[in-house]
Amino acid sequence: MHTFNNSVPLEYNTERERLTMPEYGRNILKMVEMLQEIPDREQRSRQARAVVKAMELLNPQVHQEENWEQKLWDHLHIISGYSLDVDCPYPVPSPEQQQTKPLRIPLKDKPVKATHYGRNIESIIELIASQPEGEQKTAMIRSLAIYMRQQYLIWNKDSVADETIFNDIEKLSDYRIKVPEGISLARIASDANFSRPGLNMDFNNGGRRQNSQQKKNHRGKNFQKR
């Protein structure tokens, strides 16, 4: 019968030193600590290459990155707290390089005028407003109005008048666009279905998913054929 030595206290990860790079695990950290205790620099450098090889085996996805071998050496120095003195085939990184904050991506602080149309509509309106008057601009306005009507029906009512869409175009353009007289939009089919993005989509089959009623009707037709 096996006996357990209750005098040996259990050590939990929550009580241990936090890992700088947890993807390599605590054993790599212990290897790096042992490296730093080797007095001979040549032997220490030789063992460092063996540790880098072990890191590569533990983190094989690093091969998908550019300069992956240099990244492994950088990670080795990071794990050591930048205190490892070995012959490295690459420039030794510094803490300042790792603490550099990423560049901020400039974002538009200007609020969207009509959220149900989206910010892209405003960009399209800006483009159309800069076009000279003529048949091409009229065709662009008509295409924009058809798209805006579709977006409107997705998020709002079941029907909308053409004049409402035209007024929105003029208002969003700060009245730089004047919808030509006599322009009209094609009628919407009675069975048209405008769904919100992400709804009724079957991403596995790459198309729209039939709703439950359509599936029932389809099964009923197949049953009748039998």
Side-chain angles (χ1 to χ4, degrees):
M1 180 180 296
H2 294 287
T3 60
F4 297 94
N5 186 1
N6 295 329
S7 62
V8 179
L10 295 176
E11 187 178 8
Y12 297 96
N13 284 335
T14 54
E15 300 174 352
R16 296 177 177 178
E17 178 186 358
R18 184 177 180 180
L19 294 175
T20 307
M21 305 201 72
E23 59 265 36
Y24 294 109
R26 197 165 297 277
N27 287 332
I28 292 294
L29 173 62
K30 293 180 178 179
M31 291 182 186
V32 175
E33 292 174 345
M34 294 175 63
L35 275 179
Q36 294 174 304
E37 297 176 358
I38 299 176
D40 183 68
R41 179 185 176 85
E42 183 178 352
Q43 184 181 359
R44 188 166 62 247
S45 300
R46 185 167 57 253
Q47 293 299 324
R49 290 191 289 271
V51 174
V52 169
K53 186 63 178 179
M55 292 168 61
E56 178 186 353
L57 295 176
L58 289 173
N59 189 19
Q61 59 267 26
V62 74
H63 294 105
Q64 300 176 6
E65 303 181 22
E66 296 182 1
N67 304 322
W68 60 268
E69 191 172 7
Q70 181 176 356
K71 289 184 181 296
L72 288 173
W73 280 95
D74 289 347
H75 294 169
L76 177 67
H77 286 282
I78 293 173
I79 294 173
S80 71
Y82 304 94
S83 60
L84 185 61
D85 182 20
V86 294
D87 295 328
C88 180
Y90 304 97
V92 178
S94 63
E96 293 75 18
Q97 291 176 326
Q98 302 301 321
Q99 296 173 0
T100 302
K101 295 183 179 180
L103 296 177
R104 294 187 61 182
I105 299 176
L107 299 177
K108 293 183 178 180
D109 297 329
K110 184 179 178 182
V112 180
K113 295 180 180 179
T115 56
H116 52 284
Y117 293 135
R119 192 182 295 277
N120 289 335
I121 288 295
E122 298 180 16
S123 301
I124 296 173
I125 288 177
E126 287 291 329
L127 174 64
I128 296 177
S130 63
Q131 299 298 313
E133 299 297 331
E135 294 183 1
Q136 183 176 359
K137 184 173 183 177
T138 300
M140 295 172 69
I141 293 174
R142 181 182 291 107
S143 298
L144 173 63
I146 293 173
Y147 177 75
M148 288 176 61
R149 181 178 62 177
Q150 177 181 338
Q151 295 300 107
Y152 190 102
L153 294 176
I154 288 176
W155 299 103
N156 291 283
K157 303 176 182 179
D158 294 333
S159 62
V160 58
D162 293 354
E163 289 73 17
T164 301
I165 302 299
F166 297 155
N167 290 335
D168 286 347
I169 292 177
E170 294 181 352
K171 183 178 179 180
L172 291 173
S173 69
D174 294 327
Y175 300 97
R176 290 176 296 160
I177 295 177
K178 178 63 178 177
V179 178
E181 295 288 342
I183 188 173
S184 61
L185 306 181
R187 295 186 60 184
I188 300 176
S190 58
D191 59 347
N193 180 26
F194 298 101
S195 301
R196 294 186 180 183
L199 297 180
N200 301 325
M201 292 298 294
D202 187 352
F203 294 100
N204 293 328
N205 294 330
R208 292 194 176 278
R209 180 184 299 164
Q210 292 177 310
N211 59 35
S212 57
Q213 186 62 40
Q214 288 176 323
K215 290 181 178 179
K216 291 179 181 178
N217 294 340
H218 183 68
R219 287 197 295 267
K221 292 179 180 179
N222 291 339
F223 181 78
Q224 292 175 0
K225 291 180 180 179
R226 295 178 184 175

